[in-house]
Amino acid sequence: MTAPTATISGVAKRYGIVQAVKDVTFELNEGETVALVGHNGAGKTTLIKLMLGLIRPSAGNVLVLGEDPAKGDFEVRRRLGYLPESVSFHMALTGRETLAFYARLKRVEVSVVPELLERVGLAAVAADRPVRTYSKGMRQRLGLAQALLGQPRVLLLDEPTSGLDPALRRRFYDILGELRSAGTTILLSSHALTELEGRANRVVIVNEGVKVADGSLETLRTLAHLPTRVSVKLAGGGSPVDWKFGSGWRKTGVDTVETEVTVEDKVALLREVTANPAEVAGVHLVEPTLDDLYAHFLGGRKAAE
């Protein structure tokens, strides 16, 4: 069992009378992708800044790669990669010059610049064009290349797919998959909940500076106890009116019916539905989505208050 790459322990951060983060605790592990989700102002960016060492906690402790990132240990900081929500570069420099500038700041060999530009899809089209000519998506890709300098062990990404079209989003997540396979810890702060499903090992939900949930999608589904939707397509032109399993089913089409079932009863229901395969043309299960879980845990937090 490897040691966590980042540990947040009882952390709070106050800005004057504003309590941005309140008693938050979680860990990030090697080769893990964690989605950090929450409304604007929930504390996501503050938590990232604490892990970068850009600000100090008002209470609690932050350790990244075994060190306090706010103490200015260069070796720790050079093993961190960061992509902010809004990237800002010198508009007169080319993409190649920009990346070379950041490589020198991070004490990384400038010879890696062409490879990184190729990796994010900028080498052929824009490497030697001024950044002022870049679209938002191209600047975002240049920002990702900057974050990848020095093969970071911990990669912190704040709304990283903002401005990327669907094809570039897929390429972006392919790159993250390669990094995770190589052992990089990735923290993704994003509002794009749908695209995070299947791409994050864990989800940490924060609301008003408080952590309200932490776990894999399956763990959160179990904790939330939300029902699974089961849709059945009848075989042989069967009518939903004749469907034999009672009033809990509702008609959704000429030959389709639907119901909801708890986690505990799901297997029994599926066994019953498929007992006579000749009656059923297809069964479709829709598990609670990350959107559903997010709404549930935020709703539970408000109810508790």
Side-chain angles (χ1 to χ4, degrees):
M1 189 85 180
T2 58
T5 51
T7 303
I8 309 293
S9 304
V11 164
K13 180 61 182 177
R14 179 182 292 276
Y15 298 98
I17 63 171
V18 177
Q19 188 79 38
V21 173
K22 310 168 190 174
D23 193 25
V24 171
T25 297
F26 63 84
E27 292 181 346
L28 304 179
N29 300 301
E30 186 176 330
E32 181 179 48
T33 298
V34 177
L36 179 64
V37 300
H39 291 319
N40 286 333
K44 304 188 303 297
T45 300
T46 296
L47 287 167
I48 288 176
K49 287 181 177 179
L50 287 164
M51 283 183 272
L52 288 168
L54 298 176
I55 57 176
R56 294 177 180 270
S58 304
N61 297 294
V62 179
L63 292 178
V64 178
L65 302 177
E67 302 290 342
D68 179 351
K71 286 185 176 179
D73 187 326
F74 180 75
E75 282 307 311
V76 170
R77 289 194 175 192
R78 73 190 301 269
R79 302 312 303 273
L80 296 178
Y82 174 49
L83 176 61
E85 180 177 0
S86 299
V87 293
S88 181
F89 298 117
H90 196 297
M91 292 296 174
L93 296 179
T94 67
R96 190 185 308 277
E97 290 168 340
T98 298
L99 207 53
F101 170 75
Y102 283 101
R104 293 186 186 99
L105 282 181
K106 210 169 185 180
R107 300 179 194 171
V108 173
E109 292 292 333
V110 177
S111 59
V112 305
V113 167
E115 178 189 349
L116 284 173
L117 289 170
E118 180 71 37
R119 196 171 188 184
V120 300
L122 290 177
V125 296
D128 296 308
R129 281 169 41 191
V131 172
R132 66 172 176 270
T133 68
Y134 283 21
S135 66
K136 181 179 180 182
M138 291 167 71
R139 289 196 299 273
Q140 201 74 2
R141 282 187 277 164
L142 183 60
L144 177 60
Q146 173 275 137
L148 297 180
L149 283 165
Q151 300 179 319
R153 286 187 59 198
V154 178
L155 190 58
L156 307 174
L157 308 172
D158 197 351
E159 298 294 341
T161 59
S162 173
L164 300 184
D165 63 36
L168 289 174
R169 279 197 189 99
R170 284 195 296 273
R171 177 56 188 149
F172 169 81
Y173 283 112
D174 286 345
I175 292 171
L176 294 193
E178 294 165 7
L179 292 168
R180 182 173 67 183
S181 297
T184 302
T185 299
I186 301 167
L187 181 71
L188 276 167
S189 171
S190 179
H191 290 99
L193 302 186
T194 302
E195 71 180 49
L196 293 175
E197 291 195 47
R199 294 185 168 108
N201 304 100
R202 271 171 53 216
V203 179
V204 176
I205 302 176
V206 292
N207 185 43
E208 297 180 356
V210 177
K211 185 184 78 172
V212 296
D214 181 359
S216 66
L217 275 178
E218 285 307 312
T219 297
L220 296 186
R221 283 170 179 150
T222 301
L223 292 173
H225 210 72
L226 296 177
T228 297
R229 192 165 73 248
V230 181
S231 178
V232 177
K233 181 176 176 61
L234 306 179
S239 168
V241 175
D242 303 323
W243 190 242
K244 64 180 181 178
F245 292 121
S247 59
W249 293 84
R250 53 190 174 272
K251 179 179 178 180
T252 56
V254 175
D255 57 356
T256 57
V257 290
E258 182 179 274
T259 192
E260 292 183 339
V261 62
T262 63
V263 173
E264 295 85 357
D265 296 332
K266 182 167 58 176
V267 173
L269 177 74
L270 292 175
R271 188 179 294 117
E272 186 178 16
V273 165
T274 57
N276 186 351
E279 295 181 344
V280 177
V283 179
H284 181 58
L285 274 65
V286 180
E287 301 287 359
T289 66
L290 182 51
D291 277 301
D292 297 329
L293 295 166
Y294 179 69
H296 169 82
F297 283 108
L298 261 60
R301 170 73 184 170
K302 290 173 182 175
E305 292 175 344

